[in-house]
Amino acid sequence: RYFHLLVNMQLLFSPYWFVLLFTLIPVAYRGKTMQKHEYLMLYTILFALSILSLFPHQEARFLLPLLLPISVLYGSTLSQCSNSQKFALRGTWTIFNLVVSVFFGILHQGGLIRLLMRLNMFTAQDNKNNILSHTPNT
């Protein structure tokens, strides 16, 4: 039941997720106040995450609607940062997206693409027998 919290949030929103956690710590432990819209976004994220975590089937794509409230919360946090911190956060976000794009776009799907290419070669060699049907040749 913790898969969304421990894996999927980092997978989808890694830099955003860590900024969110560092935003939560002062609010929870130091009593730092936030603006009303920040509280609304924070509660929206926490409520949706807790409800979605109750279901046994947990996929990362189910958390995509949380991008808007996390972005709003991240934007208000980013507006309070210095220029060097903004540059570092944007660089982290860009590098993270490049690494994840290469991993999931090329490496993760690489085995499937090779399999489909070999299957295509296999079926192209023997046009009389179709491996996908069970009807006998006439």
Side-chain angles (χ1 to χ4, degrees), residues 11-84:
L11 180 69
L12 291 174
F13 314 114
S14 188
Y16 280 175
W17 179 243
F18 291 117
V19 169
L20 177 67
L21 290 179
F22 288 120
T23 303
L24 267 175
I25 291 169
V27 171
Y29 293 109
R30 296 185 197 147
K32 178 188 170 217
T33 58
M34 295 170 42
Q35 296 178 5
K36 287 183 182 182
H37 75 278
E38 292 174 327
Y39 277 117
L40 178 65
M41 296 301 124
L42 182 63
Y43 291 141
T44 301
I45 294 164
L46 295 176
F47 179 73
L49 189 59
S50 62
I51 293 298
L52 288 171
S53 294
L54 293 176
F55 297 106
H57 183 74
Q58 298 186 0
E59 289 185 36
R61 64 187 172 105
F62 298 156
L63 298 178
L64 286 176
L66 293 179
L67 181 61
L68 179 67
I70 289 175
S71 297
V72 170
L73 197 58
Y74 177 76
S76 56
T77 302
L78 189 62
S79 67
Q80 300 168 3
C81 294
S82 67
N83 285 336
S84 62

